[in-house]
Amino acid sequence: MPSENIAPKLNWDTAKRYVGEKVIQQILNYLEGNPDQNIPRLFKVIEPLTPDSFQRKRTHDIRLIYENNPAYKAYFSSIFNDVDRDMRNRIVCNFLIMMINSKARREQITARDGIMIPHAILVDPTSACNLKCVGCWAGAYAEHDELEPELFDRILNEAKDLGITTIVLSGGEPFVYPHLLDMVAKHNDLNFMAYTNGTRIDDAVADRLKELGNFAPAISLEGWEEETDARRGQGVFNKITAAMGRLKERKLFFGASLTVTSQNVETVTSDEFMDFLIAQGARFLWSFHYIPIGRQPDVGLMISPEQRAYLARRIAEIRKSKPLPIADFWNDGEITRGCIAGGNSYFHINARGDVEPCAFVHFAVDNIHDKSLLEVLHNPLFAEYQKRQPFSDNMLRPCPIIDNPQALREMVQAAGAHPTHEGAETVLGSEIGSFLDQRSAEWKRVSDPIWEERQKIRAAEEQRSAS
């Protein structure tokens, strides 16, 4: 039974959310009438009202991109024409209401406890998977771990109490977890995204996703059929395209996730492949550079400094020409203000409950079975991260694994963190650690001039804007 002083608060929160949803739906209906004219008008209203200077500048930049970039104008318009209206409204309502209501809560806890409260958590509900992908980053975890539904439910409730707005799911394969969609339905005031191999998305699952409206899959692939099947298994590419077809047919909001390697970097960033993903119905794209962890790590699959420089240029070109937003890990440090891990913007809970700073940093101090979400955010490994972030003034070198490996060694040692599976420690030493030292030095040499040139261009643009 809730106490008397809690019940009114719950009713007030419910009332605020109800009113907020009605207001947002009216705004969306207004935008739907004429997106090309009304979207920039809305940005102009929101921009001066945004209290955070960084977010205000980001809103300003998005408005300019929309007004001057035909590809992004086409993208935003397609959200109103080609995405299921109920799903679009649910995702936008959840995002805006949680963002508005949760910001004060996060700031309150930060001021009280001196810790960062992130926007998102990456959770592995299960380590089980129906595929055995070559070089999988999670492939060295035990295959039988699974979060009890009661624990998963507790994590989600505590996340909302802390003002955490987004839950990202991975694994293992999230759709193998038997309680997945029921849990998403129970917490329909949160937005969920899942990195998935897509092979479990049949007609029944696609129908359920349409019914839920707050769950966006990001389907993983490595390129065309040859590249994808070589890593994921015979016939997987065709299963992926079939799943995308089901999602597109229902006008659902979904995306794709790419692991960029030395073998596929030009293929997955080609115009032909981008056009393929757009035609399949993908609405967003995650690009992850291969990192040598997990199942049989292979440094030969890491992109070279020259390939990474190519990727930095090429992603910028795609953003100007294709209606498909791309997040490029780890070349987007300028957008994210450096590394986002360690509780800064997100952290990772694996299927055993170990609390890791990042999906790719398999070290932990705490386990969520033993402590609350707030307690694990106080852990010393996160404190070491936040003390050092950003790890470099060059935002093309944001990552403590591949760009600043000595920082990772120092943080793990200072926090007394332990590896969360056998072999995780190889990124700190051995041949892999030595390779990362060498590769990070090479990338510094290549990226420093690129970063300096970008800063000169940005300074000139800001000077023109000021005048």
Side-chain angles (χ1 to χ4, degrees):
M1 291 286 294
S3 62
E4 292 183 3
N5 64 328
I6 292 179
K9 177 181 183 300
L10 293 176
N11 292 335
W12 177 238
D13 286 346
T14 301
K16 285 195 297 183
R17 180 175 179 90
Y18 176 80
V19 172
E21 286 188 354
K22 292 299 181 183
V23 170
I24 292 169
Q25 286 173 3
Q26 287 298 317
I27 292 173
L28 290 172
N29 291 340
Y30 164 74
L31 295 177
E32 197 175 54
N34 191 336
D36 290 348
Q37 289 186 11
N38 295 338
I39 287 176
R41 288 176 181 172
L42 181 63
F43 276 126
K44 288 180 180 179
V45 172
I46 293 174
E47 190 178 318
L49 300 177
T50 306
D52 181 88
S53 60
F54 178 76
Q55 294 297 338
R56 184 165 59 251
K57 186 179 185 309
R58 179 175 288 183
T59 303
H60 173 77
D61 290 344
I62 292 173
R63 176 173 63 84
L64 291 181
I65 290 171
Y66 179 87
E67 292 175 344
N68 299 306
N69 187 325
Y72 272 77
K73 184 172 288 189
Y75 174 78
F76 277 103
S77 296
S78 74
I79 297 299
F80 289 92
N81 297 323
D82 302 324
V83 174
D84 178 75
R85 189 183 193 190
D86 290 340
M87 184 175 193
R88 181 199 67 206
N89 289 359
R90 169 56 51 198
I91 290 175
V92 173
C93 281
N94 282 353
F95 175 76
L96 291 178
I97 290 174
M98 289 295 289
M99 182 181 69
I100 294 168
N101 291 343
S102 66
K103 180 176 174 56
R105 176 60 176 158
R106 292 197 305 271
E107 290 178 346
Q108 178 187 39
I109 298 171
T110 296
R112 183 191 70 195
D113 294 4
I115 61 168
M116 299 289 291
I117 304 296
H119 300 283
I121 310 174
L122 174 63
V123 182
D124 301 345
T126 179
S127 60
C129 187
N130 59 318
L131 300 181
K132 298 289 183 185
C133 301
V134 176
C136 173
W137 67 268
Y141 289 126
E143 297 180 7
H144 57 272
D145 288 325
E146 184 174 287
L147 296 179
E148 301 88 343
E150 297 79 11
L151 175 60
F152 193 15
D153 186 49
R154 171 170 75 81
I155 292 169
L156 298 179
N157 281 320
E158 291 179 1
K160 286 185 280 191
D161 288 343
L162 294 176
I164 296 171
T165 59
T166 301
I167 306 298
V168 183
L169 305 170
S170 187
E173 166 52 47
F175 283 95
V176 170
Y177 186 64
H179 316 286
L180 179 67
L181 297 183
D182 289 339
M183 201 65 68
V184 172
K186 182 176 182 179
H187 295 274
N188 64 357
D189 52 348
L190 286 171
N191 280 341
F192 292 83
M193 191 200 80
Y195 294 111
T196 172
N197 61 44
T199 61
R200 291 295 187 102
I201 302 178
D202 56 18
D203 284 322
V205 170
D207 286 340
R208 186 78 191 281
L209 293 174
K210 181 177 174 67
E211 176 188 320
L212 291 169
N214 62 328
F215 189 174
I219 300 178
S220 301
L221 66 172
E222 274 67 45
W224 303 107
E225 182 174 5
E226 180 181 356
E227 295 89 0
T228 298
D229 284 4
R231 188 181 186 206
R232 298 184 172 270
Q234 191 69 29
V236 170
F237 181 80
N238 289 332
K239 292 179 180 178
I240 287 173
T241 55
M244 288 181 168
R246 295 183 185 101
L247 298 173
K248 182 182 179 182
E249 180 183 4
R250 291 160 176 81
K251 303 181 74 172
L252 300 187
F253 188 81
F254 72 95
S257 175
L258 307 174
T259 300
V260 183
T261 74
S262 59
Q263 308 300 310
N264 71 357
V265 59
E266 294 190 12
T267 298
V268 297
T269 56
S270 66
D271 283 337
E272 293 79 10
F273 193 69
M274 291 296 108
D275 291 341
F276 161 76
L277 291 177
I278 294 166
Q280 290 295 117
R283 300 291 171 187
F284 58 91
L285 179 60
W286 297 94
S287 165
F288 293 96
H289 308 180
Y290 173 80
I291 289 183
I293 60 163
R295 180 181 292 123
Q296 298 178 335
D298 181 359
V299 296
L301 290 176
M302 292 184 68
I303 58 176
S304 69
E306 291 72 25
Q307 287 175 320
R308 190 167 171 182
Y310 161 80
L311 197 62
R313 295 190 301 271
R314 178 59 185 148
I315 294 298
E317 293 171 357
I318 293 172
R319 286 171 174 160
K320 292 178 181 177
S321 61
K322 304 293 182 183
L324 183 64
I326 302 176
D328 179 16
F329 287 83
W330 283 247
N331 281 348
D332 274 346
E334 184 173 12
I335 297 174
T336 61
R337 293 188 283 189
C339 171
I340 64 174
N344 183 340
S345 292
Y346 98 106
F347 65 99
H348 181 218
I349 301 174
N350 69 26
R352 194 170 62 182
D354 293 320
V355 180
E356 301 170 336
C358 170
F360 305 97
V361 176
H362 297 174
F363 295 87
V365 176
D366 288 330
N367 189 288
I368 197 65
H369 284 90
D370 309 319
K371 297 184 177 181
S372 69
L373 211 53
L374 179 59
E375 287 174 322
V376 301
L377 284 169
H378 284 82
N379 86 72
L381 185 54
F382 288 10
E384 292 295 329
Y385 260 76
Q386 293 164 22
K387 186 166 61 178
R388 292 170 170 81
Q389 289 166 324
F391 295 101
S392 172
D393 293 333
N394 176 351
M395 293 300 174
L396 289 168
R397 300 176 51 238
C399 178
I401 313 170
I402 60 175
D403 298 327
N404 304 277
Q406 184 56 33
L408 180 60
R409 297 184 185 104
E410 292 171 358
M411 291 188 296
V412 169
Q413 182 177 9
H418 62 268
T420 54
H421 62 75
E422 185 178 353
E425 68 282 354
T426 57
V427 296
L428 303 180
S430 72
E431 294 180 3
I432 291 179
S434 297
F435 183 88
L436 292 175
D437 285 334
Q438 177 184 346
R439 179 54 57 87
S440 63
E442 293 171 351
W443 175 236
K444 182 181 187 307
R445 172 183 55 79
V446 171
S447 66
D448 278 353
I450 300 173
W451 176 249
E452 291 171 5
E453 181 61 25
R454 284 189 177 186
Q455 293 305 100
K456 290 178 183 178
I457 293 172
R458 177 171 289 276
E461 290 175 348
E462 291 177 351
Q463 187 173 8
R464 283 196 299 271
S465 298
S467 61

